[in-house]
Amino acid sequence: MGLLAKSNDEKEMDPLTKASWYGVELFGKLFGDKVKQNDAISEETINLNAPPQSIQETLERIQLDIDRSYFLSGNVDTLIYDEDCVFADPFVSFRGRDRFVDNLQNLGSFITKYSAKMLDYTQDENTVKTRVMVKLELNLPWKPVLAWPWGVTYDIDPETFLVTKHEEAWDIEPLEGVKQIFRKPTTQIKE
């Protein structure tokens, strides 16, 4: 796979894969068009302008984020995440809510179409696990479509009710995911 566990929030990978990830992140910072937060997306009983006040509220707000495909749209409820939250995916892990939000918003500006179908959702008292079939078309001249099952484990602090770890898992090797960017699409996104 190219990844070795270095510590709880650091990962090692081959230099090409690592350079690809940081290149995409830099490209997004330079050319991405920030997606604006949509404060209108809420339920009347939930105050999205304040951190969650209970585990149940955190769970409900995670579900709201999932319902609006935050990972594709860039529209994420930032206040459910601890400022020092660990964000990990098959490429890299880092600490910091602001960097995560910037990356999501930059990615959202490069997506022209997307679909997400929930495959699995489980929760216990302090953890949520999701698995979603994701397809997204990138705003590049050849319109590549990236498609694979993707999941997230959210760890919630029982005292602060904030997500302290957001760990992604992909049902594809990271390098294979990067290769999809440079290929003609093998699937389509139904509108």
Side-chain angles (χ1 to χ4, degrees), residues 11 25 49 122:
K11 294 182 181 180
E25 183 180 33
N49 296 314
T122 59

Side-chain angles (χ1 to χ4, degrees), residues 37 39 46-54 57-59 61-62 65 68 75-85 87 97-98 100-101 104-105 156-157 160-164:
Q37 288 288 329
D39 292 334
I46 298 176
N47 179 2
L48 296 180
N49 296 314
Q53 301 300 303
S54 68
E57 182 181 342
T58 303
L59 295 172
R61 290 169 72 165
I62 288 171
D65 266 359
R68 66 177 169 259
N75 189 353
V76 62
D77 181 351
T78 60
L79 295 178
I80 63 172
Y81 293 97
D82 186 274
E83 286 184 24
D84 200 33
C85 184
F87 296 92
R97 175 181 68 198
D98 292 342
F100 174 68
V101 170
L104 278 181
Q105 292 176 344
I156 304 165
D157 183 306
T160 65
F161 316 122
L162 298 175
V163 176
T164 57

Side-chain angles (χ1 to χ4, degrees), residues 13-159:
M13 67 190 79
D14 65 82
L16 178 62
T17 303
K18 188 173 188 174
S20 296
W21 192 93
Y22 284 112
V24 169
E25 183 180 33
L26 179 61
F27 188 78
K29 286 181 180 181
L30 293 174
F31 300 105
D33 188 19
K34 297 284 186 195
V35 175
K36 303 292 183 216
Q37 288 288 329
N38 184 355
D39 292 334
I41 299 175
S42 69
E43 297 199 357
E44 294 176 16
T45 59
I46 298 176
N47 179 2
L48 296 180
N49 296 314
Q53 301 300 303
S54 68
I55 290 285
Q56 185 58 41
E57 182 181 342
T58 303
L59 295 172
E60 290 172 11
R61 290 169 72 165
I62 288 171
Q63 186 61 56
L64 285 172
D65 266 359
I66 292 167
D67 290 347
R68 66 177 169 259
S69 299
Y70 74 95
F71 49 90
L72 299 171
S73 69
N75 189 353
V76 62
D77 181 351
T78 60
L79 295 178
I80 63 172
Y81 293 97
D82 186 274
E83 286 184 24
D84 200 33
C85 184
V86 173
F87 296 92
D89 68 21
F91 285 106
V92 70
S93 69
F94 58 87
R95 290 183 181 275
R97 175 181 68 198
D98 292 342
R99 182 175 174 187
F100 174 68
V101 170
D102 284 347
N103 287 342
L104 278 181
Q105 292 176 344
N106 290 334
L107 175 63
S109 70
F110 286 110
I111 298 172
T112 53
K113 290 189 229 175
Y114 63 84
S115 70
K117 179 182 175 190
M118 183 65 66
L119 301 174
D120 190 38
Y121 178 95
T122 59
Q123 70 182 50
D124 63 23
E125 190 173 331
N126 299 321
T127 304
V128 173
K129 292 183 180 186
T130 64
R131 191 163 172 265
V132 180
M133 181 61 204
V134 174
K135 295 181 182 179
L136 55 107
E137 179 185 88
L138 298 183
N139 190 16
L140 295 169
W142 58 96
K143 301 294 184 196
V145 174
L146 310 183
W148 57 76
W150 171 84
V152 175
T153 300
Y154 305 82
D155 292 338
I156 304 165
D157 183 306
E159 294 179 16

